[in-house]
Amino acid sequence: MKKLLLSFLLLPFLSQAQIVTIDSVKAPARRPALQKMRSQKLYSYSLGVKAFSYEELPQILNQVNNNNFQREYVTGFIFKFNDNQISYRVTGNFFSDDVAFRNDCEECEEAKGKLRDNSLRLGFEKNMVYGTVQPYFGFDLGYRRNSFRGSSSNASSLNYTNPYDVKTQKNGFSISPMVGIKFNVIDHITLAAESSLDLLYSYEKQERSFKDGNHTRTVNNYKKWEFLLRPIGLLSLQYNFAEQY
């Protein structure tokens, strides 16, 4: 009986001793990778400018050179909502330039005029790793409007056609998978470069007004798919703000 009573009396002290022993065990050191990850600052939002791109534009009329790659400088923006390693993004592009090209064949007519190419995309990007340099992949869905207004003239007397004024307009839906890499230069500042492929399905209207005595006017409508390469689809400078704690 005494032994049983003694056991009950000593039980709280024995338990406390065990707790002290457990608490006194040294916790393992944090892994360097985890420490580096937690030292990298996180931001809720990013706002940037599309500084440069080199991409293939939609075909105009029966343009001979289908590889219609164009350099664009400071033509768009990017806005992102960042959620850890996933960012939801909105990108816009607004391009306008004077162009000239051969239509139908190299010896056929030459067309000159003003080209406008505008697009708005919604999508996401996911970082593959976390750190100063971050490879990523993503996907965009978008709306694209491409228009051309100009005129044609004969390139050779062997292929004579009446000159005409022309207006074209494409309204389309695009699907754009992409890969890229980001470099966090300093706090708040990020450089990003990405490549992508545009799958564009568009409805096109072509209107020609011939410069003949009858002032003949023709209108044609087309629906088609185009696969447009974007080797440098986006080279951007981004400012990150609203630091996460």
Side-chain angles (χ1 to χ4, degrees), residues 34-236:
L34 183 59
Q35 290 178 335
K36 184 177 180 180
M37 180 181 296
R38 291 187 177 179
S39 65
Q40 180 68 40
K41 290 186 177 181
L42 300 176
Y43 301 91
S44 296
Y45 306 101
S46 300
L47 180 63
V49 60
K50 179 183 176 182
F52 175 76
S53 69
Y54 181 69
E55 56 186 290
E56 188 177 11
L57 298 183
Q59 187 181 29
I60 309 170
L61 298 173
N62 294 318
Q63 188 175 9
V64 173
N65 184 9
N66 291 331
N67 296 323
N68 181 28
F69 287 93
Q70 181 70 46
R71 292 179 175 86
E72 301 179 9
Y73 300 90
V74 194
T75 56
F77 71 90
I78 181 169
F79 175 77
K80 297 191 297 185
F81 168 69
N82 305 309
D83 184 13
N84 292 326
Q85 287 185 293
I86 296 180
S87 298
Y88 304 96
R89 56 189 238 168
V90 179
T91 59
N93 188 71
F94 310 96
F95 174 73
S96 177
D97 197 11
D98 294 322
V99 296
F101 58 91
R102 299 293 185 185
N103 192 44
D104 290 329
C105 68
E106 289 289 353
E107 292 77 27
C108 297
E109 61 193 27
E110 181 182 31
K112 296 180 180 179
K114 175 71 73 174
L115 170 67
R116 290 183 172 86
D117 185 70
N118 303 322
S119 63
L120 185 66
R121 295 181 173 92
L122 302 175
F124 77 93
E125 60 185 54
K126 186 181 188 307
N127 298 335
M128 298 179 188
V129 297
Y130 196 97
T132 302
V133 179
Q134 300 176 347
Y136 66 91
F137 66 91
F139 194 84
D140 284 333
L141 298 175
Y143 167 77
R144 188 166 192 166
R145 180 172 181 172
N146 180 279
S147 64
F148 172 78
R149 180 187 291 266
S151 60
S152 75
S153 59
N154 295 309
S156 171
S157 58
L158 299 177
N159 295 278
Y160 179 78
T161 57
N162 290 327
Y164 56 85
D165 294 326
V166 61
K167 293 188 296 183
T168 71
Q169 182 172 299
K170 286 184 180 181
N171 293 286
F173 173 78
S174 65
I175 303 172
S176 307
M178 44 88 173
V179 295
I181 188 167
K182 291 183 290 189
F183 176 57
N184 297 310
V185 184
I186 56 175
D187 289 346
H188 298 285
I189 302 297
T190 298
L191 290 174
E194 68 183 43
S195 297
S196 65
L197 169 68
D198 269 10
L199 283 70
L200 176 67
Y201 180 74
S202 64
Y203 171 83
E204 180 180 12
K205 180 180 179 180
Q206 297 181 2
E207 180 179 338
R208 291 178 171 89
S209 299
F210 289 88
K211 300 175 182 179
D212 55 16
N214 299 322
H215 301 286
T216 306
R217 178 176 173 269
T218 64
V219 177
N220 296 296
N221 298 315
Y222 303 94
K223 294 180 181 179
K224 63 179 180 180
W225 284 95
E226 292 182 79
F227 299 89
L228 307 173
L229 297 176
R230 305 176 69 204
I232 306 177
L234 178 69
L235 181 62
S236 66

